[in-house]
């Protein structure tokens, strides 16, 4: 991990990104972009840029906000995992199977797999046993696999702004797909806007892509009935499944070179 601006600038330019320039550190937002409620990440710490995965990790110094956010995402994550497993047939795999260091015993191209323990605690190995470990519990996500492609359902939304700074919105969904375990390994694919994408934009998927779904996260601290939560979970899972299926069709070259995404959508 590094927060050295010069190192980050050099690496992000070499790796490549949609701005085709050096990237900088932006701001943190809670639930939505609101200029009145913006937060700056920690200063002078080592939890900004991962030189191995090429992922940005922005943490704010507010224990109450972090605790509220983490309690909220833990509950929703558990419900989404159960929906994927019980209602949509995702098979649970372990760490070695996910990392491909050991073969998946019941592997099948049409089967969907979930590494349930991955992202469950929300911590990063690089921050373990450091003085920043107390804030090392907010990075929850849900890692999945299908037909050799990695898919993640994230509870933070990253984007690159006009000034080429990487910003993050806590409590905002974002999907990503990649041929490698780390989505930014070969190219930093964060989108250049924080608003939702359309499925037509998935045609850009080559080796990695990030996608902002239309479903918004439930508000932190607001009371919801079980029916409202169940409806919300089904909506975000439906979008995630559609994302997976479209990426599958694009990567498997099932369409002609002059494909139209409308055709993909109609086939699902």
């Amino acid at each position: 991990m590094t927060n050295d601006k010069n190192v980050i600038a050099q690496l992000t330019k070499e790796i490549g990104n949609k701005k085709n320039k050096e990237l900088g550190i932006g701001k943190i937002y809670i639930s939505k972009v609101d200029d009145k409620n913006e937060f700056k990440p920690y200063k002078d710490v080592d939890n900004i840029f991962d030189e191995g995965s090429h992922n940005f990790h922005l943490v704010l110094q507010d224990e109450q906000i972090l605790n509220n956010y983490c309690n909220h995402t833990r509950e929703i994550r558990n419900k989404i995992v159960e929906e994927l497993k019980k209602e949509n047939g995702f098979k649970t795999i372990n760490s070695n199977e996910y990392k491909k260091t050991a073969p998946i015993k019941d592997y099948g191209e049409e089967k969907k797999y979930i590494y349930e323990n991955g992202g469950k605690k929300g911590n990063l190995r690089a921050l373990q046993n450091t003085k920043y470990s107390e804030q090392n519990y907010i990075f929850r996500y849900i890692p999945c696999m299908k037909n050799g492609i990695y898919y993640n359902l994230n509870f933070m939304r990253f984007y690159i702004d006009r000034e080429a700074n990487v910003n993050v919105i806590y409590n905002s969904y974002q999907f990503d797909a990649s041929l490698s375990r780390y989505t930014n390994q070969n190219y930093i694919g964060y989108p250049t806007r924080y608003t939702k994408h359309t499925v037509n934009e998935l045609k850009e998927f080559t080796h990695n892509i990030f996608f902002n779904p239309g479903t918004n996260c439930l508000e932190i601290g607001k009371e919801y009935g079980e029916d409202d939560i169940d409806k919300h979970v089904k909506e975000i899972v439906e979008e995630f499944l559609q994302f997976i299926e479209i990426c599958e069709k694009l990567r498997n070259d099932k369409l002609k070179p002059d494909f139209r995404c409308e055709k993909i959508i109609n086939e699902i």
Side-chain angles (χ1 to χ4, degrees):
M1 292 282 190
T2 181
N3 69 327
D4 188 309
K5 293 181 179 180
N6 293 326
V7 173
I8 295 172
Q10 179 181 351
L11 285 176
T12 52
K13 180 65 181 298
E14 289 178 357
I15 298 163
N17 60 77
K18 291 189 175 183
K19 286 289 185 178
N20 194 30
K21 60 176 64 175
E22 300 172 347
L23 299 181
I25 303 300
K27 298 175 181 177
I28 296 171
Y29 300 88
I30 308 300
S31 296
K32 62 181 180 179
V33 173
D34 182 349
D35 290 338
K36 295 180 181 179
N37 293 309
E38 63 186 28
F39 301 86
K40 292 183 179 180
Y42 271 114
K43 293 182 178 180
D44 303 321
V45 300
D46 299 328
N47 62 344
I48 296 297
F49 183 74
D50 190 328
E51 296 166 277
S53 67
H54 305 148
N55 290 330
F56 282 77
H57 303 294
L58 279 60
V59 184
L60 61 89
Q61 194 168 7
D62 191 313
E63 201 69 23
Q64 182 176 355
I65 290 178
L66 294 179
N67 284 335
N68 292 340
Y69 165 71
C70 288
N71 291 335
H72 176 73
T73 55
R74 179 175 60 248
E75 178 183 357
I76 297 299
R77 184 188 184 280
N78 290 340
K79 291 182 178 295
I80 292 175
V81 167
E82 288 305 304
E83 180 72 14
L84 291 171
K85 290 168 56 179
K86 290 185 177 181
E87 302 299 327
N88 294 281
F90 279 67
K91 305 295 183 181
T92 300
I93 56 176
N94 60 36
S95 174
N96 290 332
E97 291 172 313
Y98 180 74
K99 296 175 182 178
K100 300 180 182 178
T101 56
I104 298 174
K105 294 180 180 179
D106 64 344
Y107 178 78
E109 290 186 357
E110 296 306 314
K111 289 185 178 181
K112 300 181 289 288
Y113 303 93
I114 181 171
Y115 175 27
E116 186 175 350
N117 287 330
K120 183 177 183 179
K121 295 182 179 180
N123 56 30
L124 297 173
R125 180 174 298 179
L127 293 185
Q128 293 175 356
N129 302 319
T130 72
K131 62 181 179 180
Y132 314 114
S133 59
E134 292 183 1
Q135 285 73 42
N136 193 19
Y137 57 88
I138 67 172
F139 303 101
R140 285 196 178 91
Y141 64 102
I142 302 175
C144 301
M145 290 180 66
K146 184 181 179 184
N147 198 17
I149 301 177
Y150 290 96
Y151 298 97
N152 292 309
L153 190 158
N154 307 291
F155 297 89
M156 291 183 179
R157 181 174 297 188
F158 286 84
Y159 69 96
I160 306 172
D161 62 24
R162 294 179 179 177
E163 287 72 39
N165 292 321
V166 175
N167 305 274
V168 65
I169 311 173
Y170 288 5
N171 197 43
S172 187
Y173 292 120
Q174 188 168 66
F175 306 153
D176 65 72
S178 177
L179 297 179
S180 58
R181 186 155 58 95
Y182 298 121
T183 309
N184 283 329
Q185 188 67 55
N186 301 312
Y187 179 82
I188 298 177
Y190 294 137
T192 55
R193 71 174 193 267
Y194 61 85
T195 53
K196 69 178 182 180
H197 292 113
T198 65
V199 291
N200 187 61
E201 294 175 87
L202 288 175
K203 64 186 178 182
E204 299 177 6
F205 179 47
T206 54
H207 54 274
N208 74 338
I209 194 168
F210 288 80
F211 183 82
N212 301 333
T215 300
N216 296 318
C217 285
L218 298 177
E219 294 182 33
I220 299 174
K222 183 177 180 178
E223 294 292 331
Y224 291 93
E226 285 298 320
D227 290 343
D228 292 330
I229 295 176
D230 290 343
K231 179 181 178 182
H232 168 78
V233 168
K234 290 183 181 298
E235 287 176 350
I236 190 62
V237 167
E238 182 179 351
E239 280 203 77
F240 187 52
L241 292 173
Q242 185 183 51
F243 171 75
I244 291 175
E245 292 306 313
I246 294 177
C247 288
E248 283 286 301
K249 290 180 180 294
L250 289 170
R251 285 302 306 165
N252 290 336
D253 296 324
K254 292 183 178 179
L255 299 177
K256 296 179 179 179
D258 61 343
F259 68 85
R260 297 293 182 269
C261 277
E262 289 79 3
K263 182 178 180 181
I264 302 174
I265 297 166
N266 291 334
E267 290 184 0
I268 296 177

